[in-house]
Amino acid sequence: MSKIITQPLPVQSSDEDDPLLFGSPKERLDFYRREIQYETSLLSNRTNAYLTAQSFLVIAFASSMANLNPEWGKLFTLVVPCLMALLGIVSSLNAWPGIRAAYLIIDHWHFKQSNLLHSKPAMGLAYDESPLFNELESSHKGFCKSLLFSMRTPWLFIGFWLLLGSFCLYIQFTNPGG
């Protein structure tokens, strides 16, 4: 019977501790900044696509409410605007996870950037003395404020669609104009 003699594999360190992955703290900071910029760009694109879709839906809702056809106008203005309001709510609920995920990824990269700047005093001082950067850029509060619009927009539209859908039903069933 033959035996195969093997030596145990050396334990590999994580990528964060690997000095070969990043040559210097500046390269690591540049990497973090590129990731933040990339994710912010993705969030911006998602928010723009969402707002574009919502604006077309609002226009279609208003147009359907203006239907004056005497034969089927009342039924049309009851069903179609309510369906559009429901579609607006569903699309807002579907947009939220993507927007939230982008926010969490940006939060992660800001956290890593902040840890780098605080763990390397020389890097932090050079960063803070540079005229292009300041502490607000790397603080949690600063970037959170810059992303509030994207984070709040789906919830604002959900409220907006609930209000429009309720208004549509109120008009149809109470007949305030006639």
mmCIF file with all atom_site columns, all heavy atoms in Angstrom, residues 72-83:
data_model
loop_
_atom_site.group_PDB
_atom_site.id
_atom_site.type_symbol
_atom_site.label_atom_id
_atom_site.label_alt_id
_atom_site.label_comp_id
_atom_site.label_asym_id
_atom_site.label_entity_id
_atom_site.label_seq_id
_atom_site.pdbx_PDB_ins_code
_atom_site.Cartn_x
_atom_site.Cartn_y
_atom_site.Cartn_z
_atom_site.occupancy
_atom_site.B_iso_or_equiv
_atom_site.pdbx_formal_charge
_atom_site.auth_seq_id
_atom_site.auth_comp_id
_atom_site.auth_asym_id
_atom_site.auth_atom_id
_atom_site.pdbx_PDB_model_num
ATOM 1  N N   . TRP A 1 72 ? -68.643 55.352 -22.749 1.00 0.00 ? 72 TRP A N   1
ATOM 2  C CA  . TRP A 1 72 ? -67.840 54.517 -21.847 1.00 0.00 ? 72 TRP A CA  1
ATOM 3  C C   . TRP A 1 72 ? -66.847 55.334 -21.029 1.00 0.00 ? 72 TRP A C   1
ATOM 4  O O   . TRP A 1 72 ? -66.004 54.773 -20.343 1.00 0.00 ? 72 TRP A O   1
ATOM 5  C CB  . TRP A 1 72 ? -67.113 53.410 -22.611 1.00 0.00 ? 72 TRP A CB  1
ATOM 6  C CG  . TRP A 1 72 ? -66.361 53.879 -23.827 1.00 0.00 ? 72 TRP A CG  1
ATOM 7  C CD1 . TRP A 1 72 ? -66.861 54.008 -25.084 1.00 0.00 ? 72 TRP A CD1 1
ATOM 8  C CD2 . TRP A 1 72 ? -65.000 54.281 -23.900 1.00 0.00 ? 72 TRP A CD2 1
ATOM 9  N NE1 . TRP A 1 72 ? -65.901 54.476 -25.941 1.00 0.00 ? 72 TRP A NE1 1
ATOM 10 C CE2 . TRP A 1 72 ? -64.731 54.639 -25.241 1.00 0.00 ? 72 TRP A CE2 1
ATOM 11 C CE3 . TRP A 1 72 ? -63.966 54.385 -22.978 1.00 0.00 ? 72 TRP A CE3 1
ATOM 12 C CZ2 . TRP A 1 72 ? -63.487 55.093 -25.658 1.00 0.00 ? 72 TRP A CZ2 1
ATOM 13 C CZ3 . TRP A 1 72 ? -62.731 54.828 -23.414 1.00 0.00 ? 72 TRP A CZ3 1
ATOM 14 C CH2 . TRP A 1 72 ? -62.512 55.168 -24.733 1.00 0.00 ? 72 TRP A CH2 1
ATOM 15 N N   . GLY A 1 73 ? -66.984 56.629 -21.027 1.00 0.00 ? 73 GLY A N   1
ATOM 16 C CA  . GLY A 1 73 ? -66.067 57.494 -20.311 1.00 0.00 ? 73 GLY A CA  1
ATOM 17 C C   . GLY A 1 73 ? -66.070 57.302 -18.805 1.00 0.00 ? 73 GLY A C   1
ATOM 18 O O   . GLY A 1 73 ? -65.032 57.316 -18.154 1.00 0.00 ? 73 GLY A O   1
ATOM 19 N N   . LYS A 1 74 ? -67.280 57.118 -18.220 1.00 0.00 ? 74 LYS A N   1
ATOM 20 C CA  . LYS A 1 74 ? -67.364 56.963 -16.754 1.00 0.00 ? 74 LYS A CA  1
ATOM 21 C C   . LYS A 1 74 ? -66.667 55.687 -16.295 1.00 0.00 ? 74 LYS A C   1
ATOM 22 O O   . LYS A 1 74 ? -65.888 55.702 -15.337 1.00 0.00 ? 74 LYS A O   1
ATOM 23 C CB  . LYS A 1 74 ? -68.824 56.972 -16.324 1.00 0.00 ? 74 LYS A CB  1
ATOM 24 C CG  . LYS A 1 74 ? -69.015 56.886 -14.844 1.00 0.00 ? 74 LYS A CG  1
ATOM 25 C CD  . LYS A 1 74 ? -69.868 58.033 -14.375 1.00 0.00 ? 74 LYS A CD  1
ATOM 26 C CE  . LYS A 1 74 ? -70.175 57.900 -12.914 1.00 0.00 ? 74 LYS A CE  1
ATOM 27 N NZ  . LYS A 1 74 ? -69.485 58.844 -12.096 1.00 0.00 ? 74 LYS A NZ  1
ATOM 28 N N   . LEU A 1 75 ? -66.918 54.585 -16.984 1.00 0.00 ? 75 LEU A N   1
ATOM 29 C CA  . LEU A 1 75 ? -66.263 53.326 -16.631 1.00 0.00 ? 75 LEU A CA  1
ATOM 30 C C   . LEU A 1 75 ? -64.759 53.415 -16.881 1.00 0.00 ? 75 LEU A C   1
ATOM 31 O O   . LEU A 1 75 ? -63.955 52.960 -16.065 1.00 0.00 ? 75 LEU A O   1
ATOM 32 C CB  . LEU A 1 75 ? -66.868 52.166 -17.429 1.00 0.00 ? 75 LEU A CB  1
ATOM 33 C CG  . LEU A 1 75 ? -66.277 50.797 -17.156 1.00 0.00 ? 75 LEU A CG  1
ATOM 34 C CD1 . LEU A 1 75 ? -66.545 50.386 -15.707 1.00 0.00 ? 75 LEU A CD1 1
ATOM 35 C CD2 . LEU A 1 75 ? -66.852 49.768 -18.112 1.00 0.00 ? 75 LEU A CD2 1
ATOM 36 N N   . PHE A 1 76 ? -64.394 54.032 -17.998 1.00 0.00 ? 76 PHE A N   1
ATOM 37 C CA  . PHE A 1 76 ? -62.971 54.180 -18.337 1.00 0.00 ? 76 PHE A CA  1
ATOM 38 C C   . PHE A 1 76 ? -62.250 55.004 -17.275 1.00 0.00 ? 76 PHE A C   1
ATOM 39 O O   . PHE A 1 76 ? -61.170 54.624 -16.828 1.00 0.00 ? 76 PHE A O   1
ATOM 40 C CB  . PHE A 1 76 ? -62.851 54.853 -19.712 1.00 0.00 ? 76 PHE A CB  1
ATOM 41 C CG  . PHE A 1 76 ? -61.439 54.990 -20.193 1.00 0.00 ? 76 PHE A CG  1
ATOM 42 C CD1 . PHE A 1 76 ? -60.827 53.965 -20.874 1.00 0.00 ? 76 PHE A CD1 1
ATOM 43 C CD2 . PHE A 1 76 ? -60.725 56.161 -19.969 1.00 0.00 ? 76 PHE A CD2 1
ATOM 44 C CE1 . PHE A 1 76 ? -59.520 54.091 -21.331 1.00 0.00 ? 76 PHE A CE1 1
ATOM 45 C CE2 . PHE A 1 76 ? -59.429 56.301 -20.410 1.00 0.00 ? 76 PHE A CE2 1
ATOM 46 C CZ  . PHE A 1 76 ? -58.817 55.263 -21.100 1.00 0.00 ? 76 PHE A CZ  1
ATOM 47 N N   . THR A 1 77 ? -62.841 56.123 -16.870 1.00 0.00 ? 77 THR A N   1
ATOM 48 C CA  . THR A 1 77 ? -62.177 56.980 -15.870 1.00 0.00 ? 77 THR A CA  1
ATOM 49 C C   . THR A 1 77 ? -62.218 56.377 -14.470 1.00 0.00 ? 77 THR A C   1
ATOM 50 O O   . THR A 1 77 ? -61.529 56.868 -13.580 1.00 0.00 ? 77 THR A O   1
ATOM 51 C CB  . THR A 1 77 ? -62.798 58.394 -15.841 1.00 0.00 ? 77 THR A CB  1
ATOM 52 O OG1 . THR A 1 77 ? -64.195 58.285 -15.606 1.00 0.00 ? 77 THR A OG1 1
ATOM 53 C CG2 . THR A 1 77 ? -62.523 59.146 -17.113 1.00 0.00 ? 77 THR A CG2 1
ATOM 54 N N   . LEU A 1 78 ? -62.996 55.325 -14.281 1.00 0.00 ? 78 LEU A N   1
ATOM 55 C CA  . LEU A 1 78 ? -62.970 54.608 -13.007 1.00 0.00 ? 78 LEU A CA  1
ATOM 56 C C   . LEU A 1 78 ? -61.877 53.537 -13.014 1.00 0.00 ? 78 LEU A C   1
ATOM 57 O O   . LEU A 1 78 ? -61.070 53.451 -12.090 1.00 0.00 ? 78 LEU A O   1
ATOM 58 C CB  . LEU A 1 78 ? -64.328 53.965 -12.710 1.00 0.00 ? 78 LEU A CB  1
ATOM 59 C CG  . LEU A 1 78 ? -64.371 53.031 -11.499 1.00 0.00 ? 78 LEU A CG  1
ATOM 60 C CD1 . LEU A 1 78 ? -64.086 53.814 -10.222 1.00 0.00 ? 78 LEU A CD1 1
ATOM 61 C CD2 . LEU A 1 78 ? -65.706 52.332 -11.416 1.00 0.00 ? 78 LEU A CD2 1
ATOM 62 N N   . VAL A 1 79 ? -61.805 52.748 -14.074 1.00 0.00 ? 79 VAL A N   1
ATOM 63 C CA  . VAL A 1 79 ? -60.923 51.585 -14.111 1.00 0.00 ? 79 VAL A CA  1
ATOM 64 C C   . VAL A 1 79 ? -59.483 51.954 -14.458 1.00 0.00 ? 79 VAL A C   1
ATOM 65 O O   . VAL A 1 79 ? -58.546 51.586 -13.739 1.00 0.00 ? 79 VAL A O   1
ATOM 66 C CB  . VAL A 1 79 ? -61.473 50.534 -15.107 1.00 0.00 ? 79 VAL A CB  1
ATOM 67 C CG1 . VAL A 1 79 ? -60.499 49.379 -15.276 1.00 0.00 ? 79 VAL A CG1 1
ATOM 68 C CG2 . VAL A 1 79 ? -62.825 50.029 -14.646 1.00 0.00 ? 79 VAL A CG2 1
ATOM 69 N N   . VAL A 1 80 ? -59.283 52.659 -15.555 1.00 0.00 ? 80 VAL A N   1
ATOM 70 C CA  . VAL A 1 80 ? -57.923 52.890 -16.056 1.00 0.00 ? 80 VAL A CA  1
ATOM 71 C C   . VAL A 1 80 ? -57.075 53.739 -15.092 1.00 0.00 ? 80 VAL A C   1
ATOM 72 O O   . VAL A 1 80 ? -55.942 53.347 -14.783 1.00 0.00 ? 80 VAL A O   1
ATOM 73 C CB  . VAL A 1 80 ? -57.953 53.491 -17.486 1.00 0.00 ? 80 VAL A CB  1
ATOM 74 C CG1 . VAL A 1 80 ? -56.570 53.855 -17.960 1.00 0.00 ? 80 VAL A CG1 1
ATOM 75 C CG2 . VAL A 1 80 ? -58.605 52.500 -18.443 1.00 0.00 ? 80 VAL A CG2 1
ATOM 76 N N   . PRO A 1 81 ? -57.552 54.865 -14.591 1.00 0.00 ? 81 PRO A N   1
ATOM 77 C CA  . PRO A 1 81 ? -56.716 55.614 -13.650 1.00 0.00 ? 81 PRO A CA  1
ATOM 78 C C   . PRO A 1 81 ? -56.385 54.828 -12.372 1.00 0.00 ? 81 PRO A C   1
ATOM 79 O O   . PRO A 1 81 ? -55.270 54.930 -11.851 1.00 0.00 ? 81 PRO A O   1
ATOM 80 C CB  . PRO A 1 81 ? -57.533 56.862 -13.329 1.00 0.00 ? 81 PRO A CB  1
ATOM 81 C CG  . PRO A 1 81 ? -58.428 57.029 -14.497 1.00 0.00 ? 81 PRO A CG  1
ATOM 82 C CD  . PRO A 1 81 ? -58.747 55.638 -14.944 1.00 0.00 ? 81 PRO A CD  1
ATOM 83 N N   . CYS A 1 82 ? -57.343 54.034 -11.901 1.00 0.00 ? 82 CYS A N   1
ATOM 84 C CA  . CYS A 1 82 ? -57.062 53.220 -10.708 1.00 0.00 ? 82 CYS A CA  1
ATOM 85 C C   . CYS A 1 82 ? -55.999 52.171 -11.006 1.00 0.00 ? 82 CYS A C   1
ATOM 86 O O   . CYS A 1 82 ? -55.120 51.910 -10.174 1.00 0.00 ? 82 CYS A O   1
ATOM 87 C CB  . CYS A 1 82 ? -58.339 52.556 -10.203 1.00 0.00 ? 82 CYS A CB  1
ATOM 88 S SG  . CYS A 1 82 ? -59.488 53.734 -9.469  1.00 0.00 ? 82 CYS A SG  1
ATOM 89 N N   . LEU A 1 83 ? -56.062 51.573 -12.180 1.00 0.00 ? 83 LEU A N   1
ATOM 90 C CA  . LEU A 1 83 ? -55.031 50.612 -12.573 1.00 0.00 ? 83 LEU A CA  1
ATOM 91 C C   . LEU A 1 83 ? -53.667 51.292 -12.722 1.00 0.00 ? 83 LEU A C   1
ATOM 92 O O   . LEU A 1 83 ? -52.636 50.711 -12.365 1.00 0.00 ? 83 LEU A O   1
ATOM 93 C CB  . LEU A 1 83 ? -55.419 49.898 -13.868 1.00 0.00 ? 83 LEU A CB  1
ATOM 94 C CG  . LEU A 1 83 ? -56.552 48.882 -13.758 1.00 0.00 ? 83 LEU A CG  1
ATOM 95 C CD1 . LEU A 1 83 ? -56.903 48.316 -15.125 1.00 0.00 ? 83 LEU A CD1 1
ATOM 96 C CD2 . LEU A 1 83 ? -56.187 47.771 -12.794 1.00 0.00 ? 83 LEU A CD2 1
#
